Amino acid sequence: MTTTLIVVVIVSGALVIGALWGLYGPLPDPVRGFLVATAGGALIVSATLELIEPSSEDAATWAVAAAVALGAVVFSALDWLVDEVWGSSSGGGLLAAITLDGVPENLALGVALIGATPAQVAALAGSILLSNLPEAAGGAKQMADSGQGRTQALGLWVSTAALLSAAAIAGNLLLSDAAPETLAMIRSFAAGAVVASLATEVFPEAFREDRQATGLAAALGVVVAFVLGQLG
């Protein structure tokens, strides 16, 4: 449990650090775009090696594929709801968007920590950390630019960090005795949601802000996640 808490605090703490950076520090768009693309590349590797591949060892291939597809469908539907109904640039919309993206990631992180050492989940935890930092920085900066007070914006991101931490801890505690097939389905569902978020949110946003360097940053993220994965 101690290992779980340490990993969760580090990963979710990146949201708070990122928000502070976006609200009070310099954040040129190209820098944020590069970081976002790097995180996206890392998450590609993590979703494959830390979520989908282990799931295929405990469940049938067709079941894993179906769960991945379901995760992508659910994310895409809810993402549409955030954009069209709540407005992704509003405070509530931003909270919904980050929560929608972060809950599957952090739930999967909690599940991955079951019976594993920190080294075995280094790629996934590191990838989520890399993703949270620029995401929170850009989101907090956007909220401040739209006229929302810095204190209110920071409070929103702290609350989001607490919510995502709870998701990871819940995944670790509530599912510790779950059947391997159940864990495989949860991991696969989370992987589908993560992949959908990369396609619809992460890489398009990175390209808008960093243009051609996005490809280099994504490749860098792939290498970083692969190296971290080898530590396990």
Short mmCIF file of all heavy atoms in Angstrom, two decimals, residues 18 20 27 30 38 54 69 73 107 114 127 220 225 230:
data_model
loop_
_atom_site.label_atom_id
_atom_site.label_comp_id
_atom_site.label_asym_id
_atom_site.label_seq_id
_atom_site.Cartn_x
_atom_site.Cartn_y
_atom_site.Cartn_z
N GLY A 18 1.83 21.19 -12.52
CA GLY A 18 1.54 21.72 -13.84
C GLY A 18 0.64 22.94 -13.76
O GLY A 18 0.83 23.93 -14.49
N LEU A 20 0.34 25.06 -11.28
CA LEU A 20 1.14 26.18 -10.76
C LEU A 20 2.01 26.78 -11.86
O LEU A 20 2.16 28.00 -11.97
CB LEU A 20 2.01 25.70 -9.60
CG LEU A 20 1.27 25.40 -8.29
CD1 LEU A 20 2.20 24.70 -7.30
CD2 LEU A 20 0.72 26.68 -7.68
N LEU A 27 4.95 29.78 -20.11
CA LEU A 27 4.55 28.55 -20.79
C LEU A 27 4.29 28.85 -22.27
O LEU A 27 3.14 28.97 -22.69
CB LEU A 27 3.31 27.94 -20.14
CG LEU A 27 2.84 26.59 -20.71
CD1 LEU A 27 3.92 25.54 -20.56
CD2 LEU A 27 1.55 26.15 -20.04
N PRO A 30 4.79 26.45 -28.03
CA PRO A 30 5.62 25.37 -28.59
C PRO A 30 6.17 24.42 -27.52
O PRO A 30 6.28 23.21 -27.75
CB PRO A 30 6.75 26.11 -29.30
CG PRO A 30 6.17 27.44 -29.64
CD PRO A 30 5.27 27.77 -28.47
N THR A 38 5.23 14.48 -26.41
CA THR A 38 6.10 13.51 -25.74
C THR A 38 5.29 12.58 -24.85
O THR A 38 5.47 11.36 -24.85
CB THR A 38 7.16 14.23 -24.90
OG1 THR A 38 7.94 15.10 -25.75
CG2 THR A 38 8.09 13.24 -24.22
N PRO A 54 -0.39 -7.41 -21.24
CA PRO A 54 -0.63 -8.27 -20.08
C PRO A 54 -2.05 -8.83 -20.05
O PRO A 54 -2.27 -9.95 -19.57
CB PRO A 54 -0.38 -7.33 -18.89
CG PRO A 54 0.49 -6.26 -19.43
CD PRO A 54 0.05 -6.06 -20.85
N ALA A 69 -12.07 -1.72 -27.73
CA ALA A 69 -13.01 -0.99 -28.58
C ALA A 69 -14.08 -0.30 -27.75
O ALA A 69 -14.45 0.86 -28.02
CB ALA A 69 -13.66 -1.95 -29.58
N VAL A 73 -15.01 3.67 -27.58
CA VAL A 73 -16.36 4.16 -27.87
C VAL A 73 -16.90 5.00 -26.72
O VAL A 73 -17.44 6.10 -26.93
CB VAL A 73 -17.31 2.97 -28.15
CG1 VAL A 73 -18.77 3.43 -28.17
CG2 VAL A 73 -16.96 2.30 -29.47
N LEU A 107 -7.13 4.55 -12.78
CA LEU A 107 -7.70 3.27 -12.39
C LEU A 107 -6.81 2.14 -12.88
O LEU A 107 -6.51 1.19 -12.14
CB LEU A 107 -9.10 3.12 -12.98
CG LEU A 107 -9.85 1.83 -12.64
CD1 LEU A 107 -10.08 1.72 -11.13
CD2 LEU A 107 -11.17 1.77 -13.39
N ILE A 114 -1.17 -3.87 -8.52
CA ILE A 114 -1.51 -5.07 -7.74
C ILE A 114 -0.46 -6.15 -7.98
O ILE A 114 -0.28 -6.64 -9.09
CB ILE A 114 -2.91 -5.61 -8.14
CG1 ILE A 114 -3.98 -4.57 -7.78
CG2 ILE A 114 -3.20 -6.93 -7.44
CD1 ILE A 114 -5.37 -4.94 -8.26
N SER A 127 4.54 7.67 -17.85
CA SER A 127 3.79 8.22 -18.97
C SER A 127 2.64 9.09 -18.50
O SER A 127 2.39 10.16 -19.05
CB SER A 127 3.26 7.09 -19.85
OG SER A 127 4.32 6.32 -20.36
N LEU A 220 10.26 10.71 -29.15
CA LEU A 220 11.01 10.79 -27.90
C LEU A 220 10.21 10.15 -26.76
O LEU A 220 10.77 9.41 -25.94
CB LEU A 220 11.31 12.25 -27.56
CG LEU A 220 12.01 12.52 -26.22
CD1 LEU A 220 13.38 11.86 -26.19
CD2 LEU A 220 12.13 14.03 -25.98
N ALA A 225 9.31 5.86 -22.73
CA ALA A 225 8.45 4.84 -22.12
C ALA A 225 9.03 3.45 -22.31
O ALA A 225 8.94 2.60 -21.40
CB ALA A 225 7.05 4.91 -22.73
N GLN A 230 11.74 -1.23 -19.71
CA GLN A 230 12.80 -2.23 -19.61
C GLN A 230 13.33 -2.35 -18.19
O GLN A 230 13.99 -3.36 -17.84
CB GLN A 230 13.96 -1.86 -20.57
CG GLN A 230 13.58 -1.91 -22.04
CD GLN A 230 13.01 -3.24 -22.45
OE1 GLN A 230 13.66 -4.26 -22.33
NE2 GLN A 230 11.78 -3.23 -22.94
#
